[in-house]
Amino acid sequence: MSSIENIFLYFSTIRHKIFNLIIKKKLFFNLKFLKRSKEIIKLNKIISTSSIETSDNTIFYNEFSNYLIDENLNKFNNKYLAVFAHFDKDNIIDEYVIFYLQQLKLIASSIIFVSDCDLDEKETLKIANICDKIIAKKHHEYDFGSYKRGIAEAKLKVDEFDSIILANDSCYGPIYPFENIFLQMEFSPCDFWGLTANQEQYLPHLQSYFIVFNKKIINSSKFYDFFAKIKNEKSKQEIVEKYEIGLSAEFLNHGFIMDNYLKNIFAKNPTL
């Protein structure tokens, strides 16, 4: 018996166990992570190099991959809309931004892309198949100005969604799958949450590079009132105090519940 046949036989003995684990325990795995496991790497190499095309195990592998992808699209309780804020001094959309948007699209049914740049058609075409709405015009109000414009668009179809994501291009990623984070945070009783909270200065507040607002808050006029008031400020310090810190303070003062994904990692600022 060849080594290829041995490995296929091995997979034949474990495949039903894998399906039973997933179906009975409702455990869902990220396909990219699964492919990195030792056994899947072996099988993937064999399938890509072997002349065996009708193996039962090859069929299983393809079915299993499709199963995971389908589950990825349907496993969230909430339906998400994302507003993505962009800026680039050279008026371009970098590759890392495109990757970020592609990964965000695995979570968000709709993405509104707002740039504080005058982007030409060559640049916007890079993301035309990812984003549902692209606004690319210099407004001089930085990321919060982009959030303001995106939320004004989102308000027109807010009834179609359960949550609104605000994200910007100030960081690279994701390195860790968004799916796992959202699955965990859907169990939080909060009204809005971020990846990290800064407790280094002033009041504790969510860091604005990634914040999610749930149904209760996006159905409130307080949400739209806050963003409608955003304007060009004279200094970065004013932006931080009024909007970065002010956002969390504003919604907490109105009785909304805040949460953050990363906890007890660093004593003060978890992004440092």
Side-chain angles (χ1 to χ4, degrees):
M1 184 177 290
S2 69
S3 60
I4 289 176
E5 289 172 325
N6 277 328
I7 294 174
F8 277 133
L9 181 62
Y10 168 72
F11 270 88
S12 182
T13 63
I14 68 166
R15 63 179 188 163
H16 293 300
K17 292 181 180 179
I18 295 174
F19 267 123
N20 286 338
L21 179 65
I22 292 173
I23 295 168
K24 289 182 179 179
K25 301 297 184 182
K26 297 186 183 300
L27 296 177
F28 303 110
F29 302 95
N30 179 273
L31 184 58
K32 290 181 181 178
F33 172 77
L34 192 64
K35 282 184 177 178
R36 292 191 185 103
S37 70
K38 210 176 282 186
E39 292 83 2
I40 295 296
I41 288 174
K42 283 182 189 176
L43 183 60
N44 198 34
K45 286 181 179 178
I46 291 167
I47 290 171
S48 62
T49 59
S50 173
S51 61
I52 300 175
E53 296 180 354
T54 58
S55 165
D56 184 45
N57 287 281
T58 304
I59 295 169
F60 158 70
Y61 179 83
N62 292 333
E63 288 178 347
F64 186 52
S65 298
N66 291 334
Y67 174 82
L68 291 174
I69 292 168
D70 289 342
E71 287 298 335
N72 185 65
L73 297 175
N74 298 302
K75 63 190 175 184
F76 299 108
N77 292 322
N78 293 345
K79 187 175 182 182
Y80 296 92
L81 177 149
V83 174
F84 190 89
H86 166 268
F87 173 77
D88 188 277
K89 63 182 179 63
D90 298 317
N91 292 334
I92 63 171
I93 299 176
D94 283 312
E95 289 298 318
Y96 84 89
V97 175
I98 298 171
F99 174 76
Y100 193 144
L101 291 168
Q102 288 170 338
Q103 297 305 302
L104 193 59
K105 191 69 173 180
L106 296 175
I107 304 296
S109 304
S110 180
I111 298 178
I112 300 171
F113 179 94
V114 187
S115 179
D116 190 8
C117 297
D118 293 318
L119 301 177
D120 61 28
E121 185 178 4
K122 176 185 175 183
E123 293 303 313
T124 58
L125 281 174
K126 292 179 180 179
I127 58 169
N129 65 333
I130 308 171
C131 301
D132 301 273
K133 177 79 175 181
I134 299 172
I135 303 169
K137 186 175 178 60
K138 190 70 180 173
H139 55 69
H140 303 283
E141 294 177 1
Y142 306 101
D143 287 340
F144 274 94
S146 292
Y147 289 158
K148 176 178 77 172
R149 287 159 174 78
I151 286 170
E153 289 287 334
K155 187 178 181 180
L156 301 175
K157 52 181 179 178
V158 69
D159 292 340
E160 301 173 25
F161 299 92
D162 301 298
S163 302
I164 292 177
I165 303 166
L166 299 185
N168 67 39
D169 62 353
S170 63
C171 54
Y172 294 92
I175 298 171
Y176 185 79
F178 278 137
E179 294 92 329
N180 299 338
I181 297 170
F182 276 78
L183 282 173
Q184 179 175 325
M185 294 307 295
E186 282 194 350
F187 285 98
S188 172
C190 67
D191 300 309
F192 66 116
W193 60 272
L195 290 180
T196 53
N198 188 338
Q199 302 184 47
E200 189 174 27
Q201 300 179 51
Y202 308 103
L203 298 171
H205 61 277
L206 298 179
Q207 296 181 295
S208 62
Y209 66 92
F210 199 98
I211 303 180
V212 180
F213 299 89
N214 292 331
K215 195 73 172 178
K216 182 179 177 181
I217 198 167
I218 67 174
N219 283 342
S220 168
S221 62
K222 303 295 183 185
F223 178 70
Y224 302 98
D225 290 345
F226 176 84
F227 286 96
K229 292 185 292 186
I230 290 170
K231 60 184 179 63
N232 178 272
E233 302 294 346
K234 295 178 181 179
S235 68
K236 183 178 179 180
Q237 185 63 27
E238 286 183 288
I239 295 170
V240 170
E241 291 180 2
K242 288 184 178 181
Y243 308 134
E244 175 85 12
I245 299 170
L247 182 150
S248 295
E250 175 84 4
F251 296 129
L252 287 171
N253 286 340
H254 287 300
F256 294 110
I257 301 170
M258 183 176 82
D259 198 0
N260 55 287
Y261 175 70
L262 289 176
K263 300 178 176 71
N264 303 321
I265 303 298
F266 299 95
K268 294 182 178 179
N269 187 342
T271 60
L272 295 179

